[in-house]
Amino acid sequence: MQLEGRVAFVTGANSGIGRASAAAFAAEGAHVGVFGRRAEKNAETVQQIADAGGSAVSLVGDVSEAGDIEAAVGELAERWGRLDIVFANAGINGAWAPIEDLTPEEWDQTQGINLKGTFLSVKYAIPHMKANGGSIIITSSINGSRQFSLTGATCYSCSKSGQVTFAKHAAVELARYGIRVNVVCPGWIRTNIGENTWGRDLDSIRIPTHRPDGGIPLTGREAGKPEEVAAAVLFLASDAASHVTGTEMWVDGAESLLRT
């Protein structure tokens, strides 16, 4: 039980990487706050954890709304008397389009969920983590950190690169409290993020390129699994990573080394 008695706050915990990580935390003894916008989906994650003998509570809210995050973090810390782990995972792909066609509203939506949501999750967690230290993990992406060739992904990639920069500054600032801050950068993972992706007029800016067969060297054409990212997140949350902070961990089967 690597996380026995610790308390974890997980955003975007009702599917994909968030759900797999929440389950991994609970399996290692943590009490988990399952945060997401849809109560029924949160309940599914909580029930999955309970069925496996773990401990979790649903926290409903919008990651881009300061009041929702502040209230959820406060409720979680009050319930179990502490907060040790934050997994700022919630995110969308949002609108993928030529820069001149992106609307200010589309830009704000993606930045609000991905980057502002990360800021809010960390900001409101800090007061509860200062006493005991802990671990903050942020879900970024290979896009915006190693890969810059996806047509129309400017807004998304900017939000993801911003998360990496935020994590590095936070790692230095929060080290005095024993709080570590790291980033996971997944590649192609089997999740439902495609439901939050809107492509528009991409052919007008696409540059023809030759892509090698088998886009993921480690697996060929097979995408990674949420549980494989969750294993990296669990490591970063645990004492096994006690001297790791301010760094990225790419979980992509070398995809981003093949495609830049």
Side-chain angles (χ1 to χ4, degrees), residues 2 4 50 57 60 80 83 87 122 125 131 152 155 160 180 189 209 217 237 243-244 249:
Q2 301 179 66
E4 184 70 41
V57 62
V60 179
W80 279 299
L83 180 61
F87 183 29
V122 174
C155 183
K160 295 287 123 179
R180 298 180 293 105
I189 306 295
T209 57
H243 203 55
V244 180
M249 179 179 290

Side-chain angles (χ1 to χ4, degrees), residues 23-161:
F25 290 161
E28 290 296 333
H31 305 292
V32 181
V34 173
F35 184 88
R37 290 185 297 116
R38 294 182 288 177
E40 70 281 4
K41 300 299 288 184
N42 287 3
E44 292 176 7
T45 302
V46 171
Q47 188 62 54
Q48 176 184 329
I49 289 172
D51 289 345
S55 172
V57 62
S58 172
L59 302 166
V60 179
D62 184 333
V63 75
S64 66
E65 292 293 333
D68 288 2
I69 291 290
E70 184 177 19
V73 170
E75 178 183 339
L76 183 64
E78 182 177 359
R79 184 185 186 97
W80 279 299
R82 59 189 295 155
L83 180 61
D84 306 279
I85 299 162
V86 172
F87 183 29
N89 165 73
I92 62 171
N93 279 345
W96 288 26
I99 295 170
E100 63 183 310
D101 292 340
L102 279 170
T103 68
E105 293 77 18
E106 288 170 335
W107 180 275
D108 287 346
Q109 181 186 32
T110 299
Q111 301 301 326
I113 293 173
N114 294 358
L115 189 52
K116 182 183 176 185
T118 294
F119 158 67
L120 294 175
S121 298
V122 174
K123 170 183 169 60
Y124 289 113
I126 291 170
H128 302 287
M129 298 180 73
K130 282 182 175 180
N132 300 306
S135 176
I136 295 169
I137 308 104
I138 297 166
T139 299
S140 179
S141 171
I142 61 174
N143 297 293
S145 58
R146 272 184 174 172
Q147 182 168 279
F148 300 88
S149 58
L150 287 185
T151 302
T154 304
C155 183
Y156 173 76
S157 293
C158 284
S159 73
K160 295 287 123 179
S161 62

Side-chain angles (χ1 to χ4, degrees), residues 142-230:
I142 61 174
N143 297 293
S145 58
R146 272 184 174 172
Q147 182 168 279
F148 300 88
S149 58
L150 287 185
T151 302
T154 304
C155 183
Y156 173 76
S157 293
C158 284
S159 73
K160 295 287 123 179
S161 62
Q163 287 176 313
V164 174
T165 301
F166 176 84
K168 291 179 183 293
H169 279 278
V172 175
E173 181 176 327
L174 301 179
R176 71 192 68 185
Y177 306 116
I179 299 173
R180 298 180 293 105
V181 187
N182 292 291
V183 182
V184 288
C185 298
W188 180 27
I189 306 295
R190 294 189 205 114
T191 71
N192 64 357
I193 197 170
E195 297 175 5
N196 296 310
T197 307
W198 305 278
R200 185 172 68 250
D201 199 25
L202 297 178
D203 286 342
S204 67
I205 57 171
R206 194 183 311 277
I207 298 174
T209 57
H210 173 71
R211 296 297 191 188
D213 292 335
I216 305 177
L218 194 62
T219 63
R221 297 184 183 277
E222 289 296 318
K225 298 184 286 292
E227 292 77 13
E228 291 173 314
V229 183

